[in-house]
């Protein structure tokens, strides 16, 4: 029974990548393989496992969500992560995004402000063998200075403005992918690239994320 269930999940995962991700233009072969590999159903409640590979976000605890698969893939492709890169993720949530990033990078630090989510994500990542992914419970808007500089930073919550701390923790040539805009409306998925003391930005598409909460 367990093997048959895993086979069904694998088939759904392959179809997800083919229809939802490749079909929308994501073409980085490493990103596509990561999306084929990571078992998304392991990062949601058992009652939602049958919906894990559908084309929409799913609710998790603490009022948060696990992002639509296409958006996870799009952000990973935009970050242009190489196999030797050090990556910071802001907003661990379920841990699914951290697993995808861990398939692409040498190491991942994922920051989550909700202790319950951080502990649950760390547990699933460990069970699945993602030893290069570390979950830290902290204010993600401040990044994680002990691991800086990062070759890429991926933010899975909407910021009204780009937190300066995240720019400061980018390596020269580093990329920051972040939804920017007011939390009550759609935001613009934005790529910021740092070259020395200068940055350039590029907008990708409208998205809708939960707000990035900054501690006061």
């Amino acid at each position: 029974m367990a093997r048959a269930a895993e086979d069904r999940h694998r088939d759904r995962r392959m179809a997800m990548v083919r229809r939802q991700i490749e079909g929308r233009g994501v073409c980085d072969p490493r990103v596509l393989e990561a999306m084929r590999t990571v078992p998304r159903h392991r990062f949601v409640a058992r009652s939602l496992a049958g919906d894990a590979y559908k084309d929409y976000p799913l609710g998790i605890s603490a009022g948060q969500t696990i992002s639509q698969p296409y958006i996870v893939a799009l952000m990973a492709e935009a970050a242009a992560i190489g196999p030797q890169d050090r990556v910071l993720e802001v907003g661990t949530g379920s841990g699914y995004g951290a697993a995808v990033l861990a398939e692409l990078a040498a190491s991942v630090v994922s920051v989550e402000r909700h202790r319950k989510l951080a502990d649950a994500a760390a547990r699933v990542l460990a069970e699945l063998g993602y030893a290069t992914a570390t979950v830290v419970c902290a204010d993600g808007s401040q990044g994680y200075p002990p691991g800086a500089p990062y070759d890429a930073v991926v933010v899975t919550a909407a910021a009204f403005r780009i937190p300066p701390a995240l720019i400061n923790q980018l390596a020269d040539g580093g990329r920051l992918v972040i939804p920017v805009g007011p939390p009550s409306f759609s935001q613009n998925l934005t790529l910021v690239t740092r070259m020395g003391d200068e940055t350039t930005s590029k907008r990708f598409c409208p998205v809708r994320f939960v707000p990035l909460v900054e501690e006061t």
Side-chain angles (χ1 to χ4, degrees):
M1 286 289 291
R3 177 60 182 272
E6 287 302 316
D7 287 346
R8 286 194 296 271
H9 285 307
R10 184 197 62 227
D11 291 344
R12 290 168 181 158
R13 193 159 58 248
M14 299 305 112
M16 174 194 77
V17 173
R18 185 172 64 253
R19 297 170 186 167
Q20 301 173 31
I21 298 172
E22 285 186 289
R24 286 192 176 107
V26 174
C27 59
D28 185 321
R30 297 184 67 242
V31 171
L32 296 174
E33 186 59 26
M35 299 299 292
R36 293 187 190 104
T37 300
V38 179
R40 192 170 190 257
H41 63 280
R42 292 290 303 275
F43 294 90
V44 299
R46 288 186 181 181
S47 61
L48 295 176
D51 296 329
Y53 299 104
K54 293 183 178 179
D55 191 21
Y56 47 74
L58 296 171
I60 56 176
S61 62
Q64 305 299 299
T65 60
I66 177 172
S67 295
Q68 177 189 13
Y70 166 67
I71 294 298
V72 175
L74 180 64
M75 294 178 78
E77 182 174 62
I81 298 166
Q84 303 304 315
D85 283 355
R86 296 167 56 85
V87 176
L88 172 67
E89 180 188 42
V90 175
T92 310
S94 68
Y96 174 67
V100 171
L101 296 173
E103 291 283 345
L104 301 169
S107 64
V108 177
V109 176
S110 187
V111 182
E112 173 57 56
R113 66 186 298 269
H114 295 283
R115 170 60 68 182
K116 182 178 178 181
L117 287 177
D119 291 346
R123 183 168 58 253
V124 176
L125 289 165
E127 290 172 356
L128 293 174
Y130 287 106
T132 59
T134 301
V135 179
V136 176
C137 187
D139 174 10
S141 69
Q142 299 305 307
Y144 188 65
Y150 301 100
D151 300 291
V153 177
V154 176
V155 183
T156 64
F160 191 77
R161 62 181 182 86
I162 298 172
L166 301 184
I167 296 291
N168 293 338
Q169 290 171 39
L170 282 176
D172 191 11
R175 290 84 54 202
L176 166 65
V177 180
I178 182 171
V180 180
S184 55
F185 300 94
S186 64
Q187 304 96 28
N188 290 300
L189 187 61
T190 303
L191 169 66
V192 179
T193 303
R194 178 177 183 176
M195 301 299 295
D197 293 329
E198 303 294 325
T199 61
T200 60
S201 63
K202 173 185 176 182
R203 292 180 177 180
F204 277 83
C205 63
V207 291
R208 192 74 179 266
F209 279 81
V210 298
L212 176 66
V213 177
E214 298 187 44
E215 301 293 343
T216 57

